[in-house]
Amino acid sequence: MLLKNVKFLWISVFVATVQLSGCVPNKRIIYMQEKEASISPLKYASEIMPYEVEEYKLQYNDIVDISIRTASKELNELFSLFEADNIRGNMMMQGALVGGDAFFMTGFNLDERGMVELPLLGEIKLAGFTIKEAKSLIEERMIEFVNKEDLFVRVRLGGIRYSAIGEFRRPGKHNVLQNRVTIFEAIAHAGDLTEVAKRDELVLLRQYPDGTRMYRIDLNNINLLTSEYFFIQPNDMLYAEPMKIRELGTGVNFVQTFSLVITTLTAALLVVNLIRQ
């Protein structure tokens, strides 16, 4: 009787395996197939979902690219020499260009007081100001030396730096050389989430000039597109927690779970068979 049960079990496993491993037709995976002109490629289009962007304020350890040009040849040479000295100093500190982050070499790092040092102007506190406010602050100080119409000031962030830890395929520190980065772009840059990551409770640690705040983000909620958390900010940390399935050690999909159950049942039947012998 036990032998018949074992045979029946293995037959069931074979049938289930054949059904689960059915071939996927090429029609489902080939791009840009020829179809009738009346068949629209658009399946669905949602309404425009407006952004809610939180204005970022500079803080300690940020790297900003500051460029100042005037109608005065002498002042331009002074600023150019200062920028060259800044690049040499950054290269000596770092030793080599890392990860293609050119802003690390050319930019100005806000010290622990949130200050940067510029020629003529000396030390200027930029921490707590937005990029536009920092630009206006430098312009106000420069008009003491040149006319406003003869002045050009540009202030930019040296990319978006953030950390991804936990259930990411490529965790670690990342830097995207863009002015704005969505949370999904940040996840993609970190290799995407693993199968066992909690997508409905992604932890976001965001730094502010007066401290750090933790948020839990539901990536499965489409309203994320219109929230202030859709765009990440410099120095953000993303932490993806694992689901309980990892702690329990079960499969992450149906095939793995089914295989685990069958293996367990087979082992149990073999043990029972050995005991009865």
Side-chain angles (χ1 to χ4, degrees):
M1 182 67 181
L2 182 61
L3 183 60
K4 290 183 178 179
N5 290 338
V6 174
K7 289 183 178 180
F8 176 77
L9 179 61
W10 281 112
I11 292 174
S12 301
V13 173
F14 176 77
V15 173
T17 303
V18 171
Q19 291 178 342
L20 292 172
S21 61
C23 297
V24 178
N26 287 339
K27 187 177 181 181
R28 301 290 299 275
I29 60 176
I30 295 178
Y31 294 115
M32 295 181 291
Q33 300 178 46
E34 293 186 4
K35 303 218 174 184
E36 296 181 10
S38 59
I39 301 177
S40 173
L42 180 64
K43 294 290 185 179
Y44 167 77
S46 70
E47 296 181 357
I48 293 293
M49 306 183 77
Y51 296 136
E52 184 177 339
V53 181
E54 181 180 0
E55 199 77 37
Y56 178 70
K57 294 185 178 181
L58 296 171
Q59 51 191 288
Y60 158 68
N61 210 32
D62 276 343
I63 296 177
V64 290
D65 176 52
I66 301 175
S67 179
I68 302 175
R69 293 294 180 268
T70 70
S72 170
K73 181 180 178 181
E74 291 77 11
L75 288 179
N76 288 339
E77 290 178 352
L78 175 63
F79 287 119
S80 297
L81 288 173
F82 185 82
E83 291 170 1
D85 289 339
N86 183 58
I87 294 174
R88 282 193 294 269
N90 288 337
M91 292 184 68
M92 289 178 63
M93 180 173 61
Q94 186 69 6
L97 187 62
V98 176
D101 187 0
F103 278 108
F104 183 85
M105 298 302 164
T106 62
F108 296 85
N109 188 62
L110 273 67
D111 64 18
E112 64 278 359
R113 299 170 298 156
M115 311 279 284
V116 295
E117 185 177 4
L118 299 173
L120 289 183
L121 307 182
E123 290 187 328
I124 302 179
K125 185 174 183 180
L126 298 183
F129 294 97
T130 66
I131 293 295
K132 290 182 179 179
E133 291 170 343
K135 179 178 182 292
S136 299
L137 184 61
I138 296 173
E139 286 176 341
E140 290 175 4
R141 296 282 297 273
M142 280 297 301
I143 58 177
E144 300 176 11
F145 304 95
V146 296
N147 295 325
K148 189 172 183 179
E149 56 270 16
D150 298 329
L151 176 65
F152 170 80
V153 176
R154 183 179 64 192
V155 180
R156 295 184 298 173
L157 270 174
I160 305 295
R161 293 170 174 78
Y162 70 98
S163 300
I165 59 176
E167 294 298 324
F168 286 90
R169 298 188 189 279
R170 195 170 62 247
K173 288 187 175 181
H174 298 274
N175 182 35
V176 183
L177 297 179
Q178 297 176 191
N179 293 327
R180 292 202 306 181
V181 177
T182 70
I183 194 168
F184 292 110
E185 287 178 312
I187 292 171
H189 199 269
D192 201 359
L193 297 168
T194 66
E195 292 87 350
V196 297
K198 285 185 178 179
R199 285 166 171 77
D200 59 341
E201 284 192 28
L202 180 71
V203 177
L204 169 64
L205 294 176
R206 176 159 292 174
Q207 297 183 27
Y208 296 95
D210 55 349
T212 302
R213 179 172 291 178
M214 183 180 75
Y215 304 93
R216 288 186 178 272
I217 310 298
D218 184 1
L219 297 175
N220 298 330
N221 191 336
I222 195 172
N223 294 322
L224 173 62
L225 301 180
T226 59
S227 75
E228 63 268 33
Y229 313 110
F230 183 55
F231 292 97
I232 68 168
Q233 295 186 0
N235 306 312
D236 277 356
M237 177 179 290
L238 304 177
Y239 171 51
E241 297 178 341
M243 294 186 288
K244 281 288 185 182
I245 192 172
R246 178 172 180 178
E247 180 180 337
L248 297 174
T250 55
V252 297
N253 54 45
F254 176 76
V255 175
Q256 292 182 7
T257 304
F258 182 77
S259 300
L260 180 62
V261 171
I262 294 302
T263 302
T264 304
L265 290 175
T266 303
L269 289 174
L270 290 174
V271 171
V272 172
N273 186 37
L274 292 173
I275 293 174
R276 288 188 177 183
Q277 287 180 356

